[in-house]
Short mmCIF file of all heavy atoms in Angstrom, two decimals:
data_model
loop_
_atom_site.label_atom_id
_atom_site.label_comp_id
_atom_site.label_asym_id
_atom_site.label_seq_id
_atom_site.Cartn_x
_atom_site.Cartn_y
_atom_site.Cartn_z
N VAL W 170 -48.85 -21.93 -39.80
CA VAL W 170 -49.62 -22.93 -39.04
C VAL W 170 -51.05 -23.01 -39.57
O VAL W 170 -51.62 -24.10 -39.68
CB VAL W 170 -49.60 -22.59 -37.54
CG1 VAL W 170 -50.43 -23.61 -36.75
CG2 VAL W 170 -48.17 -22.55 -37.02
N GLU W 171 -51.61 -21.87 -39.93
CA GLU W 171 -52.96 -21.88 -40.51
C GLU W 171 -53.00 -22.73 -41.78
O GLU W 171 -53.93 -23.52 -41.99
CB GLU W 171 -53.41 -20.46 -40.82
CG GLU W 171 -53.81 -19.65 -39.60
CD GLU W 171 -54.55 -18.38 -40.00
OE1 GLU W 171 -55.78 -18.44 -40.12
OE2 GLU W 171 -53.88 -17.35 -40.22
N GLU W 172 -52.02 -22.56 -42.63
CA GLU W 172 -51.99 -23.32 -43.88
C GLU W 172 -51.92 -24.82 -43.60
O GLU W 172 -52.56 -25.63 -44.29
CB GLU W 172 -50.78 -22.88 -44.72
CG GLU W 172 -50.93 -21.47 -45.28
CD GLU W 172 -49.63 -20.96 -45.88
OE1 GLU W 172 -48.65 -21.75 -45.94
OE2 GLU W 172 -49.58 -19.77 -46.27
N VAL W 173 -51.15 -25.19 -42.59
CA VAL W 173 -51.04 -26.60 -42.21
C VAL W 173 -52.38 -27.13 -41.70
O VAL W 173 -52.81 -28.23 -42.04
CB VAL W 173 -49.94 -26.76 -41.14
CG1 VAL W 173 -50.09 -28.07 -40.38
CG2 VAL W 173 -48.56 -26.68 -41.78
N ILE W 174 -53.04 -26.34 -40.86
CA ILE W 174 -54.34 -26.76 -40.30
C ILE W 174 -55.37 -26.95 -41.41
O ILE W 174 -56.10 -27.94 -41.45
CB ILE W 174 -54.83 -25.73 -39.27
CG1 ILE W 174 -53.95 -25.79 -38.01
CG2 ILE W 174 -56.29 -25.97 -38.91
CD1 ILE W 174 -54.25 -24.69 -37.00
N LEU W 175 -55.42 -26.01 -42.32
CA LEU W 175 -56.43 -26.05 -43.38
C LEU W 175 -56.15 -27.16 -44.40
O LEU W 175 -57.07 -27.64 -45.07
CB LEU W 175 -56.50 -24.70 -44.09
CG LEU W 175 -57.04 -23.54 -43.23
CD1 LEU W 175 -56.88 -22.21 -43.96
CD2 LEU W 175 -58.50 -23.77 -42.86
N ALA W 176 -54.89 -27.57 -44.51
CA ALA W 176 -54.53 -28.59 -45.49
C ALA W 176 -54.68 -30.01 -44.97
O ALA W 176 -54.70 -30.96 -45.76
CB ALA W 176 -53.09 -28.37 -45.97
N CYS W 177 -54.81 -30.18 -43.67
CA CYS W 177 -54.84 -31.53 -43.09
C CYS W 177 -56.15 -32.24 -43.45
O CYS W 177 -57.24 -31.67 -43.29
CB CYS W 177 -54.68 -31.47 -41.57
SG CYS W 177 -54.59 -33.09 -40.79
N GLU W 178 -56.03 -33.47 -43.88
CA GLU W 178 -57.20 -34.23 -44.31
C GLU W 178 -57.82 -35.05 -43.17
O GLU W 178 -58.84 -35.72 -43.38
CB GLU W 178 -56.82 -35.17 -45.46
CG GLU W 178 -56.36 -34.42 -46.71
CD GLU W 178 -56.01 -35.36 -47.85
OE1 GLU W 178 -56.00 -36.59 -47.61
OE2 GLU W 178 -55.75 -34.87 -48.96
N ASP W 179 -57.23 -34.98 -41.97
CA ASP W 179 -57.76 -35.76 -40.85
C ASP W 179 -58.88 -35.03 -40.11
O ASP W 179 -59.50 -35.61 -39.22
CB ASP W 179 -56.64 -36.07 -39.85
CG ASP W 179 -55.59 -37.00 -40.45
OD1 ASP W 179 -56.00 -38.07 -40.94
OD2 ASP W 179 -54.40 -36.66 -40.45
N TRP W 180 -59.11 -33.78 -40.45
CA TRP W 180 -60.14 -33.02 -39.76
C TRP W 180 -60.74 -31.96 -40.68
O TRP W 180 -60.19 -31.64 -41.73
CB TRP W 180 -59.59 -32.36 -38.50
CG TRP W 180 -58.40 -31.45 -38.73
CD1 TRP W 180 -58.35 -30.31 -39.48
CD2 TRP W 180 -57.08 -31.62 -38.18
NE1 TRP W 180 -57.09 -29.75 -39.43
CE2 TRP W 180 -56.28 -30.53 -38.64
CE3 TRP W 180 -56.49 -32.57 -37.34
CZ2 TRP W 180 -54.95 -30.38 -38.28
CZ3 TRP W 180 -55.16 -32.42 -36.99
CH2 TRP W 180 -54.40 -31.34 -37.47
N SER W 181 -61.87 -31.43 -40.26
CA SER W 181 -62.43 -30.23 -40.89
C SER W 181 -62.10 -29.06 -39.96
O SER W 181 -62.12 -29.21 -38.74
CB SER W 181 -63.94 -30.37 -41.07
OG SER W 181 -64.58 -30.58 -39.82
N ALA W 182 -61.79 -27.92 -40.52
CA ALA W 182 -61.34 -26.79 -39.72
C ALA W 182 -62.18 -25.56 -39.99
O ALA W 182 -62.50 -25.25 -41.15
CB ALA W 182 -59.87 -26.49 -40.00
N THR W 183 -62.52 -24.85 -38.91
CA THR W 183 -63.27 -23.61 -39.00
C THR W 183 -62.58 -22.55 -38.16
O THR W 183 -62.26 -22.81 -36.99
CB THR W 183 -64.72 -23.79 -38.49
OG1 THR W 183 -65.34 -24.86 -39.20
CG2 THR W 183 -65.52 -22.51 -38.69
N LYS W 184 -62.35 -21.38 -38.76
CA LYS W 184 -61.72 -20.31 -37.99
C LYS W 184 -62.73 -19.73 -37.02
O LYS W 184 -63.83 -19.35 -37.41
CB LYS W 184 -61.18 -19.22 -38.92
CG LYS W 184 -60.44 -18.11 -38.19
CD LYS W 184 -59.90 -17.05 -39.15
CE LYS W 184 -58.70 -17.56 -39.91
NZ LYS W 184 -58.05 -16.48 -40.69
N ALA W 185 -62.33 -19.64 -35.75
CA ALA W 185 -63.21 -19.10 -34.71
C ALA W 185 -62.83 -17.69 -34.30
O ALA W 185 -63.66 -16.94 -33.79
CB ALA W 185 -63.20 -20.02 -33.48
N ARG W 186 -61.55 -17.34 -34.52
CA ARG W 186 -61.11 -16.00 -34.14
C ARG W 186 -59.83 -15.66 -34.90
O ARG W 186 -58.95 -16.51 -35.07
CB ARG W 186 -60.85 -15.92 -32.63
CG ARG W 186 -60.41 -14.54 -32.16
CD ARG W 186 -60.43 -14.41 -30.65
NE ARG W 186 -60.20 -13.03 -30.26
CZ ARG W 186 -60.32 -12.56 -29.01
NH1 ARG W 186 -60.71 -13.38 -28.05
NH2 ARG W 186 -60.09 -11.30 -28.75
N ASP W 187 -59.72 -14.40 -35.35
CA ASP W 187 -58.54 -13.94 -36.07
C ASP W 187 -58.24 -12.52 -35.62
O ASP W 187 -59.00 -11.59 -35.88
CB ASP W 187 -58.77 -13.98 -37.58
CG ASP W 187 -57.50 -13.68 -38.38
OD1 ASP W 187 -56.71 -12.82 -37.93
OD2 ASP W 187 -57.29 -14.30 -39.42
N PHE W 188 -57.09 -12.36 -34.92
CA PHE W 188 -56.80 -11.04 -34.34
C PHE W 188 -56.57 -9.98 -35.42
O PHE W 188 -56.88 -8.80 -35.20
CB PHE W 188 -55.59 -11.12 -33.39
CG PHE W 188 -54.26 -11.33 -34.06
CD1 PHE W 188 -53.51 -10.26 -34.50
CD2 PHE W 188 -53.75 -12.60 -34.22
CE1 PHE W 188 -52.27 -10.45 -35.10
CE2 PHE W 188 -52.51 -12.81 -34.80
CZ PHE W 188 -51.78 -11.73 -35.25
N GLU W 189 -56.06 -10.36 -36.59
CA GLU W 189 -55.84 -9.36 -37.63
C GLU W 189 -57.16 -8.85 -38.20
O GLU W 189 -57.29 -7.67 -38.50
CB GLU W 189 -54.97 -9.95 -38.74
CG GLU W 189 -53.53 -10.17 -38.30
CD GLU W 189 -52.60 -10.49 -39.45
OE1 GLU W 189 -53.11 -10.89 -40.52
OE2 GLU W 189 -51.38 -10.32 -39.28
N GLU W 190 -58.14 -9.73 -38.32
CA GLU W 190 -59.46 -9.29 -38.76
C GLU W 190 -60.09 -8.37 -37.71
O GLU W 190 -60.74 -7.37 -38.05
CB GLU W 190 -60.35 -10.50 -39.01
CG GLU W 190 -59.92 -11.35 -40.20
CD GLU W 190 -60.78 -12.58 -40.39
OE1 GLU W 190 -61.73 -12.76 -39.60
OE2 GLU W 190 -60.50 -13.37 -41.32
N GLU W 191 -59.88 -8.69 -36.43
CA GLU W 191 -60.43 -7.85 -35.36
C GLU W 191 -59.77 -6.48 -35.36
O GLU W 191 -60.41 -5.46 -35.06
CB GLU W 191 -60.23 -8.55 -34.02
CG GLU W 191 -61.08 -9.82 -33.87
CD GLU W 191 -60.75 -10.62 -32.62
OE1 GLU W 191 -59.89 -10.16 -31.84
OE2 GLU W 191 -61.33 -11.70 -32.44
N LEU W 192 -58.47 -6.43 -35.68
CA LEU W 192 -57.79 -5.14 -35.74
C LEU W 192 -58.37 -4.25 -36.83
O LEU W 192 -58.47 -3.04 -36.67
CB LEU W 192 -56.29 -5.36 -36.00
CG LEU W 192 -55.47 -6.01 -34.88
CD1 LEU W 192 -54.02 -6.17 -35.32
CD2 LEU W 192 -55.55 -5.20 -33.60
N MET W 193 -58.75 -4.86 -37.96
CA MET W 193 -59.33 -4.09 -39.04
C MET W 193 -60.71 -3.56 -38.65
O MET W 193 -61.09 -2.44 -39.03
CB MET W 193 -59.46 -4.96 -40.30
CG MET W 193 -58.12 -5.39 -40.91
SD MET W 193 -57.07 -3.99 -41.42
CE MET W 193 -55.93 -3.89 -40.01
N LEU W 194 -61.45 -4.33 -37.86
CA LEU W 194 -62.78 -3.91 -37.44
C LEU W 194 -62.72 -2.86 -36.33
O LEU W 194 -63.55 -1.97 -36.26
CB LEU W 194 -63.59 -5.13 -36.96
CG LEU W 194 -63.95 -6.15 -38.04
CD1 LEU W 194 -64.59 -7.38 -37.40
CD2 LEU W 194 -64.92 -5.54 -39.06
N ARG W 195 -61.70 -3.01 -35.45
CA ARG W 195 -61.58 -2.07 -34.31
C ARG W 195 -60.14 -1.57 -34.22
O ARG W 195 -59.38 -1.95 -33.33
CB ARG W 195 -61.99 -2.78 -33.01
CG ARG W 195 -63.44 -3.24 -33.00
CD ARG W 195 -63.84 -3.82 -31.65
NE ARG W 195 -63.14 -5.06 -31.35
CZ ARG W 195 -63.50 -6.26 -31.80
NH1 ARG W 195 -64.57 -6.38 -32.56
NH2 ARG W 195 -62.81 -7.35 -31.49
N PRO W 196 -59.75 -0.71 -35.15
CA PRO W 196 -58.34 -0.30 -35.23
C PRO W 196 -57.85 0.52 -34.05
O PRO W 196 -56.64 0.65 -33.86
CB PRO W 196 -58.29 0.51 -36.54
CG PRO W 196 -59.69 1.00 -36.74
CD PRO W 196 -60.57 -0.09 -36.22
N TYR W 197 -58.75 1.10 -33.27
CA TYR W 197 -58.31 1.94 -32.16
C TYR W 197 -58.27 1.18 -30.83
O TYR W 197 -57.96 1.75 -29.79
CB TYR W 197 -59.23 3.16 -32.02
CG TYR W 197 -59.19 4.07 -33.22
CD1 TYR W 197 -60.25 4.12 -34.12
CD2 TYR W 197 -58.08 4.87 -33.47
CE1 TYR W 197 -60.20 4.94 -35.24
CE2 TYR W 197 -58.02 5.70 -34.59
CZ TYR W 197 -59.09 5.73 -35.46
OH TYR W 197 -59.04 6.54 -36.57
N GLU W 198 -58.59 -0.12 -30.85
CA GLU W 198 -58.60 -0.91 -29.63
C GLU W 198 -57.36 -1.79 -29.56
O GLU W 198 -56.85 -2.26 -30.58
CB GLU W 198 -59.85 -1.80 -29.56
CG GLU W 198 -61.15 -1.01 -29.41
CD GLU W 198 -62.35 -1.93 -29.25
OE1 GLU W 198 -62.15 -3.14 -28.98
OE2 GLU W 198 -63.49 -1.45 -29.40
N PHE W 199 -56.88 -2.00 -28.33
CA PHE W 199 -55.76 -2.89 -28.08
C PHE W 199 -56.20 -3.91 -27.04
O PHE W 199 -56.41 -3.57 -25.88
CB PHE W 199 -54.53 -2.11 -27.60
CG PHE W 199 -53.99 -1.17 -28.63
CD1 PHE W 199 -54.41 0.14 -28.66
CD2 PHE W 199 -53.07 -1.61 -29.57
CE1 PHE W 199 -53.91 1.02 -29.62
CE2 PHE W 199 -52.59 -0.75 -30.54
CZ PHE W 199 -53.00 0.57 -30.57
N ASP W 200 -56.36 -5.16 -27.49
CA ASP W 200 -56.92 -6.19 -26.61
C ASP W 200 -56.24 -7.52 -26.91
O ASP W 200 -55.36 -7.61 -27.76
CB ASP W 200 -58.44 -6.28 -26.82
CG ASP W 200 -59.16 -6.87 -25.61
OD1 ASP W 200 -58.48 -7.39 -24.71
OD2 ASP W 200 -60.40 -6.80 -25.59
N TYR W 201 -56.68 -8.55 -26.21
CA TYR W 201 -56.15 -9.91 -26.38
C TYR W 201 -56.10 -10.29 -27.86
O TYR W 201 -57.05 -10.06 -28.60
CB TYR W 201 -57.03 -10.90 -25.61
CG TYR W 201 -56.79 -12.36 -25.97
CD1 TYR W 201 -55.68 -13.03 -25.45
CD2 TYR W 201 -57.65 -13.04 -26.82
CE1 TYR W 201 -55.45 -14.36 -25.76
CE2 TYR W 201 -57.42 -14.37 -27.14
CZ TYR W 201 -56.32 -15.03 -26.61
OH TYR W 201 -56.10 -16.34 -26.93
N GLN W 202 -54.97 -10.86 -28.28
CA GLN W 202 -54.80 -11.24 -29.68
C GLN W 202 -54.44 -12.71 -29.78
O GLN W 202 -53.57 -13.21 -29.07
CB GLN W 202 -53.69 -10.41 -30.33
CG GLN W 202 -54.02 -8.93 -30.43
CD GLN W 202 -52.92 -8.15 -31.12
OE1 GLN W 202 -51.86 -8.68 -31.40
NE2 GLN W 202 -53.16 -6.87 -31.38
N SER W 203 -55.09 -13.40 -30.71
CA SER W 203 -54.80 -14.80 -30.98
C SER W 203 -55.62 -15.23 -32.19
O SER W 203 -56.59 -14.56 -32.56
CB SER W 203 -55.17 -15.67 -29.76
OG SER W 203 -54.76 -17.00 -29.94
N VAL W 204 -55.20 -16.31 -32.82
CA VAL W 204 -55.99 -16.93 -33.88
C VAL W 204 -56.49 -18.26 -33.35
O VAL W 204 -55.70 -19.06 -32.82
CB VAL W 204 -55.15 -17.13 -35.15
CG1 VAL W 204 -55.92 -17.97 -36.17
CG2 VAL W 204 -54.79 -15.78 -35.76
N HIS W 205 -57.78 -18.51 -33.46
CA HIS W 205 -58.39 -19.74 -32.96
C HIS W 205 -59.04 -20.50 -34.11
O HIS W 205 -59.71 -19.90 -34.95
CB HIS W 205 -59.46 -19.44 -31.91
CG HIS W 205 -58.93 -18.84 -30.65
ND1 HIS W 205 -59.72 -18.61 -29.55
CD2 HIS W 205 -57.69 -18.41 -30.31
CE1 HIS W 205 -59.00 -18.07 -28.59
NE2 HIS W 205 -57.76 -17.93 -29.03
N TYR W 206 -58.82 -21.80 -34.12
CA TYR W 206 -59.51 -22.69 -35.06
C TYR W 206 -60.20 -23.79 -34.26
O TYR W 206 -59.71 -24.20 -33.20
CB TYR W 206 -58.52 -23.35 -36.03
CG TYR W 206 -58.21 -22.52 -37.24
CD1 TYR W 206 -57.20 -21.56 -37.20
CD2 TYR W 206 -58.91 -22.67 -38.42
CE1 TYR W 206 -56.90 -20.79 -38.31
CE2 TYR W 206 -58.62 -21.89 -39.54
CZ TYR W 206 -57.63 -20.96 -39.47
OH TYR W 206 -57.34 -20.19 -40.57
#
């Protein structure tokens, strides 16, 4: 879905949240997970 969002020419897209990046920053925490654009 991310690839589809980034490839669409009808809009500009900016990632606002990425749970996998958050896991790398805080590997010992378990919290709400989602990817937001």
Side-chain angles (χ1 to χ4, degrees):
V170 179
E171 285 194 89
E172 290 169 5
V173 161
I174 290 173
L175 293 172
C177 184
E178 297 181 354
D179 294 306
W180 57 62
S181 59
T183 305
K184 184 179 286 189
R186 181 168 189 171
D187 188 322
F188 71 88
E189 290 192 341
E190 292 177 1
E191 292 172 3
L192 292 179
M193 294 300 100
L194 293 173
R195 297 185 294 277
Y197 297 106
E198 293 184 15
F199 295 92
D200 203 350
Y201 166 78
Q202 294 182 353
S203 187
V204 171
H205 294 186
Y206 275 86

